[in-house]
Amino acid sequence: QVHLVESGGGLVQIGGSLRLSCAASGRTFTNFAMAWFRQAPGKEREFVAALKWSGGASTRYADSVKGRVTISKVYAKNTVYLQMSSLKPEDTAVYYCALSPTGWGDFQKDYDYWGQGTQVTVSS
């Protein structure tokens, strides 16, 4: 079993920055993918960014955050980060971390394990 714990959410002003963390514990995988999704009130959960780890990292981003968000992983640590900058009110959502041991993608069905989420609120 895999346990994912997100942290780093909070209240930030428009244009500000925030770094989210997702720590994975339990079963480990040599190759895996971790992703961030978000869900705003009344909206579907949507893909934000993903990182595929296979010795090195490959990344992919949603168009809505490209250029403002960076997903990264520290080598030999089971923690993935989501650095967000130039935050907008539309970035307000609960951010979820997810993990797949078999591949990656932009859809919820591509991931097997999920965290409980961390709230990000962007306000003036």
Side-chain angles (χ1 to χ4, degrees):
Q1 189 68 358
V2 175
H3 188 51
L4 302 176
V5 178
E6 302 97 334
S7 61
L11 177 64
V12 62
Q13 290 188 326
I14 295 172
S17 299
L18 208 59
R19 189 178 79 160
L20 306 182
S21 300
C22 175
S25 61
R27 186 178 175 187
T28 59
F29 305 94
T30 303
N31 302 312
F32 59 91
M34 292 182 75
W36 288 94
F37 286 75
R38 66 185 182 186
Q39 187 167 18
K43 294 190 175 181
E44 297 284 321
R45 192 173 297 187
E46 64 175 6
F47 171 77
V48 177
L51 180 149
K52 183 171 68 173
W53 182 261
S54 181
S58 299
T59 59
R60 56 200 290 167
Y61 298 93
D63 289 341
S64 58
V65 301
K66 202 170 290 183
R68 302 189 296 119
V69 163
T70 302
I71 187 170
S72 62
K73 178 188 179 298
V74 176
Y75 183 75
K77 286 189 70 174
N78 293 325
T79 301
V80 167
Y81 303 95
L82 188 72
Q83 178 70 49
M84 303 187 292
S85 60
S86 301
L87 285 163
K88 308 173 183 180
E90 51 264 43
D91 294 317
T92 295
V94 177
Y95 283 71
Y96 296 91
C97 176
L99 184 147
S100 168
T102 57
W104 67 339
D106 298 357
F107 302 97
Q108 295 182 62
K109 65 177 180 61
D110 296 321
Y111 298 87
D112 301 287
Y113 303 98
W114 291 83
Q116 293 300 306
T118 185
Q119 176 71 47
V120 172
T121 303
V122 184
S123 174
S124 57

